[in-house]
Amino acid sequence: STQSTWEVKEVTHEWEKVNTQKPIWMRKPDEVKDEEYTAFYKSVSNDWEEHLAVKHFKVEGQLEFSGLLFVPKRAPMEMFDQKKKKNNIKLYTLA
């Protein structure tokens, strides 16, 4: 009978948490500064202008979620272009 030997190598990973800040939509509205809303809006919308209005809300019940709804200052130039792909609403989630 032949005997087999196996070499077992242990692999470990060390992770460093880089982003320690809570997502803006998970924070309480009174904890978020206007500048933070503006910076977030500009980063997700690629708009160079500030938003016209923002609604920061939380829904609780059978489902529970938080959200931000931004209203841009101007309608997009291609708003009535039928050939343009519609991607006006974006959803970001936590896993």
Side-chain angles (χ1 to χ4, degrees):
S1 135
T2 59
Q3 211 173 15
S4 297
T5 59
W6 297 85
E7 186 177 319
V8 178
K9 188 185 281 188
E10 184 177 338
V11 177
T12 60
H13 298 280
E14 288 188 31
W15 299 94
E16 177 185 349
K17 192 170 190 176
V18 179
N19 187 0
T20 57
Q21 192 172 23
K22 247 183 171 179
I24 192 171
W25 61 90
M26 296 295 291
R27 293 163 48 196
K28 293 179 182 172
D30 57 355
E31 295 175 355
V32 182
K33 297 178 183 164
D34 289 341
E35 299 84 39
E36 291 176 288
Y37 284 126
T38 299
F40 182 77
Y41 170 74
K42 286 181 176 182
S43 73
V44 298
S45 69
N46 296 320
D47 196 347
W48 63 89
E49 289 189 285
E50 292 184 9
H51 54 279
L52 177 66
V54 62
K55 180 65 178 167
H56 190 158
F57 59 93
K58 183 172 187 166
V59 175
E60 295 176 344
Q62 285 184 325
L63 292 176
E64 187 173 320
F65 61 92
S66 300
L68 294 173
L69 179 63
F70 289 97
V71 177
K73 278 192 177 175
R74 302 175 198 271
M77 286 186 261
E78 66 277 347
M79 184 172 171
F80 298 107
D81 185 354
Q82 298 297 320
K83 297 176 190 112
K84 174 85 171 145
K85 182 182 172 195
K86 305 289 184 208
N87 62 348
N88 301 332
I89 297 179
K90 296 176 175 58
L91 176 66
Y92 298 88
T93 63
L94 288 177

